[in-house]
């Protein structure tokens, strides 16, 4: 959990002692009316009009050592926090612990399953949104203090994978990504003309589930080649996994068979199914081979043994599957673990949707390569003084950060139509905009000496505004963790940088009087630490120079 003086909670407790409210009634105010606002409409509906209660609350809040002022306005109580208090909290944490806010490890273990794309081809940019959201959620929860693990459920047992295997056996060629993908696309084209291929695929599914060593061994190699390609591309943008869990292992060790035995199944001409409200869910085909739903139940039972909280990042087209899975796990198998599904809407190109089978795709690798090329052009133009290696290093950091930021800044449920000009934007509300600010703060610190005087607390408005936005960082982090919303961090970063730019333009640091210098250089140090910390949560690579 985060360790900091939670004033929002303190204010809630103070109000709640006098009148019961919801924690949601106390929130950060970013409108400029105040720092923290309390909704008190229900108090005003009291038989006596609530005026005495509100006055008592204001008196109690005004007596707090951190409160500058508290005042009623309509159905709200507005609270202003003392800026010197905020300044001290931020600087003290940075100087004592090297981080703000500090953190204490939670006892709960959290599983974040993301990506889990069928290893039938390179990861396209639509599925990359899953990976970027999942990795950011993992980083945020880890920063919050949870013991978090990143998991990839490798589907090496479904029909698509058997189709990939069948294509490899049919058409031959080297065991490479390009060759396998070409064969995979070819078999789906041929399926439309030759129904016999479908029977061939079904036969191979049966052989696979009966543990035919030739099918199993070859398919594992094929899946490994494809998975290595996916993992390599994701690693380029800073995404890695702690565990790769193979679907086939759950078949071979009897876990899937055990799950089917645990459920009250019914028979449909040899096929086994279960009934939940409003639908039938089939677990096996008529020939006895298992379906994905049965294997996914087995996987979640495995995760439940090692995690108190399980998080699945899923495309919006998986909502029905997730609802059914949740019902079975909770109501039929009685698991008590916390289970969250984080849905995201798909990315489309202006030319239409992407499909691995059809070959009409833009891969994540394509996207990063294109962004790198454009970034390198800009770096070459702006920094001819740097070596080729330095320019390439900077361009790579910009490219990978820009791809991640351009996707994570949009709330997961909202669709994205991917446009190259937006992804490659180097102005406001972009990763390069944030990264440049880090380099600017670094430049100031490189020229600075250690302050020898105590710092004064009388601040210019731009200083006070920057101190406030730094001080409220834990609240954004806390809300992002609790609500699984990494886009909150992206929005926070832009606001933070804008406040620093205002400070930079209005407040000289080096060359001021000792007391002012001592304060401002500490503010810049704290800013750089918080910017780096928040940027890391969504995969922005901070660099010393741009």
């Amino acid at each position: 959990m985060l360790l900091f003086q939670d004033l929002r909670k303190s204010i809630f407790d103070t109000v709640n002692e006098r009148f019961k409210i919801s924690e949601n009634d106390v929130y950060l105010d970013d409108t400029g009316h105040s720092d923290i606002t309390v909704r008190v409409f229900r108090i005003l509906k009291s038989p006596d009009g609530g005026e005495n209660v509100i006055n008592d609350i204001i008196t109690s809040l005004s007596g707090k050592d951190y409160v500058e002022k508290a005042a009623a306005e309509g159905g709200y109580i507005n609270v202003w926090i003392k800026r010197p208090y905020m300044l001290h909290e931020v600087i003290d944490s940075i100087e004592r612990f090297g981080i703000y806010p500090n953190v204490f490890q939670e006892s709960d273990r959290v599983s974040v399953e993301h990506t889990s794309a069928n290893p039938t081809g390179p990861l396209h940019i639509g599925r990359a949104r899953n990976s970027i959201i999942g990795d950011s959620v993992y980083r945020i929860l880890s920063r919050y203090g949870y013991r978090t693990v990143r998991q990839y459920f490798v589907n090496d047992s479904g029909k698509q994978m058997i189709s990939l295997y069948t294509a490899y056996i049919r058409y031959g060629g080297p065991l490479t990504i390009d060759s396998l993908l070409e064969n995979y696309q070819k078999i789906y084209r041929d399926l439309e003309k030759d129904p016999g291929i479908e029977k061939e695929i079904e036969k191979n599914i049966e052989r696979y589930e009966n543990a035919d060593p030739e099918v199993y061994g070859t398919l594992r190699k094929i899946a490994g080649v494809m998975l290595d390609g996916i993992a390599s591309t994701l690693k380029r943008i800073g995404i890695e996994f702690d565990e790769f869990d193979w679907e086939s292992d759950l078949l071979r060790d009897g876990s899937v068979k055990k799950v089917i035995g645990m459920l009250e199944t019914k028979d449909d001409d040899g096929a086994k199914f279960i009934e939940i409200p409003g639908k039938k869910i089939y677990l096996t085909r008529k020939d006895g081979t298992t379906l994905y739903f049965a294997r996914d139940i087995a996987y979640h039972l495995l995760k439940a043994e090692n995690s108190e909280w399980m998080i699945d990042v899923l495309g919006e087209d998986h909502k029905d599957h997730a609802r059914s899975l949740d019902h079975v796990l909770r109501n039929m198998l009685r698991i008590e673990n916390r289970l969250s599904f984080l849905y995201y809407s798909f990315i489309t190109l202006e030319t239409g949707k992407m499909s691995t089978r059809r070959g009409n795709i833009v891969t994540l690798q394509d996207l990063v390569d294109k962004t790198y090329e454009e970034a390198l052009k800009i770096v070459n133009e702006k920094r001819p003084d740097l070596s080729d290696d330095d320019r390439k290093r900077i361009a790579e950091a910009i490219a990978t950060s820009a791809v991640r930021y351009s996707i994570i800044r949009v709330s997961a449920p909202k669709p994205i139509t991917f446009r190259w000009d937006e992804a490659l934007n180097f102005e406001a509300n972009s990763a390069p905009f944030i990264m440049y600010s880090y380099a600017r703060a670094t430049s100031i610190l490189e020229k600075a000496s250690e302050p020898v005087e105590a710092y004064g607390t009388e601040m210019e408005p731009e200083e006070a505004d920057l101190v406030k936005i730094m001080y409220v960082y834990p609240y954004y982090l806390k809300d992002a963790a609790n609500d699984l919303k990494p886009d909150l961090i992206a929005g926070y970063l832009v606001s933070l940088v804008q406040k620093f730019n205002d400070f930079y333009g209005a407040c000289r640091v080096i060359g001021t009087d000792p007391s002012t210098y001592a304060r401002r250089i500490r503010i810049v140090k704290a800013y750089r630490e918080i910017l780096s910390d928040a940027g890391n949560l969504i995969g922005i690579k901070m660099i010393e120079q741009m």
Side-chain angles (χ1 to χ4, degrees):
M1 62 180 292
L2 301 180
L3 295 179
F4 72 108
Q5 183 64 30
D6 189 344
L7 300 189
R8 187 168 64 181
K9 180 65 163 59
S10 175
I11 290 171
F12 164 76
D13 290 340
T14 299
V15 177
N16 208 43
E17 289 175 2
R18 193 66 179 81
F19 191 96
K20 297 300 180 184
I21 62 171
S22 166
E23 287 197 25
N24 293 330
D25 288 329
V26 183
Y27 56 91
L28 296 182
D29 188 344
D30 56 6
T31 66
H33 285 93
S34 66
D35 296 326
I36 296 177
T37 297
V38 185
R39 278 190 290 258
V40 293
F41 288 100
R42 289 193 297 114
I43 299 178
L44 294 176
K45 294 179 181 179
S46 301
D48 62 355
E51 184 176 341
N52 291 334
V53 175
I54 289 176
N55 288 337
D56 287 348
I57 291 171
I58 289 174
T59 299
S60 296
L61 290 174
S62 299
K64 303 290 184 182
D65 62 355
Y66 54 79
V67 172
E68 181 75 35
K69 182 175 66 171
E73 182 179 344
Y76 303 92
I77 295 175
N78 294 323
V79 183
W80 289 262
I81 309 302
K82 293 176 181 177
R83 293 300 181 264
Y85 176 90
M86 292 180 169
L87 178 68
H88 175 267
E89 289 294 303
V90 172
I91 290 177
D92 183 63
S93 181
I94 294 291
E95 294 187 343
R96 289 176 61 195
F97 309 113
I99 194 170
Y100 173 77
N102 199 10
V103 69
F104 180 81
Q105 189 175 74
E106 290 274 4
S107 60
D108 281 358
R109 299 165 298 173
V110 182
S111 156
V112 180
E113 182 202 338
H114 69 80
T115 308
S116 297
N118 292 342
T120 54
L123 198 67
H124 65 63
I125 62 172
R127 291 296 178 189
R129 191 176 191 187
N130 185 312
S131 309
I132 291 169
I133 290 172
D135 184 68
S136 298
V137 166
Y138 160 80
R139 293 179 185 219
I140 289 167
L141 293 177
S142 297
R143 175 67 175 87
Y144 190 84
Y146 288 106
R147 294 182 291 161
T148 316
V149 63
R150 301 161 288 187
Q151 293 178 294
Y152 189 124
F153 189 33
V154 185
N155 179 359
D156 62 333
S157 304
K159 186 176 181 180
Q160 288 181 322
M161 287 303 299
I162 301 299
S163 298
L164 182 64
Y165 163 81
T166 304
Y168 173 70
I169 298 300
R170 262 184 159 256
Y171 308 126
L175 203 59
T176 63
I177 292 174
D178 289 343
S179 177
L180 290 169
L181 183 58
E182 182 180 342
N183 289 342
Y184 183 62
Q185 294 162 354
K186 178 176 172 57
I187 201 169
Y188 274 98
R189 291 194 299 268
D190 291 351
L191 261 170
E192 298 174 0
K193 300 175 288 186
D194 183 359
I197 295 177
E198 186 71 37
K199 293 181 180 179
E200 188 177 345
I201 292 171
E202 290 174 358
K203 180 64 176 175
N204 285 333
I205 291 174
E206 188 175 351
R207 290 174 60 202
Y208 180 82
E209 294 219 7
N210 288 328
D212 184 312
E214 190 281 325
V215 179
Y216 177 81
T218 302
L219 188 53
R220 191 80 170 217
K221 291 178 182 177
I222 291 171
V225 169
M226 290 298 202
L227 193 61
D228 284 347
I230 292 171
S232 176
T233 300
L234 289 176
K235 187 174 182 179
R236 185 178 178 187
I237 62 171
I239 298 175
E240 298 184 75
F241 295 90
D242 301 301
E243 297 175 5
F244 288 92
D245 300 312
W246 294 77
E247 207 173 323
S248 56
D249 289 343
L250 299 174
L251 284 169
R252 291 169 68 84
D253 69 9
S255 296
V256 180
K257 184 177 180 180
K258 181 180 178 181
V259 160
I260 295 172
M262 293 167 65
L263 296 168
E264 188 175 330
T265 60
K266 297 184 179 181
D267 188 89
D268 178 11
D269 193 23
K272 292 183 178 180
F273 68 91
I274 55 176
E275 289 185 322
I276 66 173
K279 67 189 303 185
K280 295 179 180 179
I281 299 177
Y282 283 82
L283 304 178
T284 72
R285 302 179 183 88
K286 293 179 181 180
D287 61 8
T289 56
T290 62
L291 294 168
Y292 178 75
F293 194 89
R295 301 192 289 269
D296 203 21
I297 295 172
Y299 183 47
H300 280 79
L301 291 181
L302 175 66
K303 290 195 293 184
E305 294 177 1
N306 301 296
S307 304
E308 283 74 38
W309 184 9
M310 297 179 286
I311 300 168
D312 292 359
V313 183
L314 300 170
E316 61 184 2
D317 57 335
H318 287 76
K319 284 185 178 180
D320 187 59
H321 171 88
R323 282 191 290 263
S324 299
L325 179 66
D326 183 78
H327 179 87
V328 171
L329 291 172
R330 296 199 182 285
N331 300 314
M332 302 176 78
L333 296 175
R334 306 296 179 186
I335 73 158
E336 297 180 354
N337 307 61
R338 184 177 176 187
L339 179 60
S340 299
F341 298 104
L342 176 53
Y343 302 109
Y344 65 93
S345 186
F346 289 109
I347 301 175
T348 58
L349 294 175
E350 291 177 279
T351 54
K353 292 184 178 181
M354 297 159 284
S355 168
T356 306
R357 297 178 187 175
R358 302 299 179 188
N360 177 31
I361 64 170
V362 173
T363 67
L364 176 60
Q365 187 68 42
D366 294 334
L367 178 63
V368 178
D369 286 344
K370 176 68 173 176
T371 310
Y372 170 76
E373 291 171 8
E374 295 300 318
L376 186 58
K377 290 178 186 177
I378 295 172
V379 176
N380 285 339
E381 178 184 338
K382 292 183 177 296
R383 296 303 306 268
D385 55 307
L386 298 177
S387 68
D388 285 347
D389 286 345
D390 281 343
R391 291 198 297 269
K392 289 176 181 178
R393 176 182 57 81
I394 292 171
E396 178 70 11
I398 290 173
T400 56
S401 300
V403 167
R404 290 193 62 149
Y405 182 84
S406 65
I407 290 175
I408 207 66
R409 70 183 179 89
V410 180
S411 178
K414 293 183 179 180
I416 298 176
T417 299
F418 199 90
R419 297 180 175 88
W420 290 104
D421 58 340
E422 292 180 359
L424 302 175
N425 175 28
F426 282 75
E427 302 301 324
N429 197 13
S430 69
F433 174 70
I434 295 166
M435 297 165 71
Y436 181 75
S437 185
Y438 180 86
R440 174 177 277 176
T442 297
S443 177
I444 294 173
L445 295 174
E446 286 176 346
K447 299 171 185 175
S449 59
E450 284 297 316
V452 295
E453 299 283 336
Y455 64 85
T457 58
E458 291 294 325
M459 290 176 272
E460 295 295 326
E462 293 81 6
E463 282 183 273
D465 288 345
L466 177 57
V467 167
K468 177 188 172 181
I469 193 71
M470 292 194 298
Y471 175 78
V472 299
Y473 173 48
Y475 295 103
Y476 284 86
L477 179 51
K478 185 176 182 180
D479 289 348
N482 290 338
D483 299 336
L484 303 181
K485 287 180 63 66
D487 56 287
L488 294 179
I489 300 299
Y492 171 77
L493 278 164
V494 171
S495 297
L496 178 64
V497 171
Q498 288 170 339
K499 293 301 182 185
F500 179 77
N501 288 347
D502 293 341
F503 163 83
Y504 182 83
C507 301
R508 186 178 181 182
V509 178
I510 298 174
T512 54
D513 66 85
S515 175
T516 300
Y517 173 76
R519 179 181 66 253
R520 289 181 179 172
I521 201 65
R522 283 181 168 90
I523 288 174
V524 174
K525 285 181 180 180
Y527 169 76
R528 192 176 70 157
E529 290 300 324
I530 292 170
L531 186 71
S532 176
D533 188 65
N536 179 65
L537 298 180
I538 58 172
I540 295 180
K541 298 178 181 177
M542 301 300 179
I543 49 182
E544 304 293 311
Q545 57 181 335
M546 291 279 283

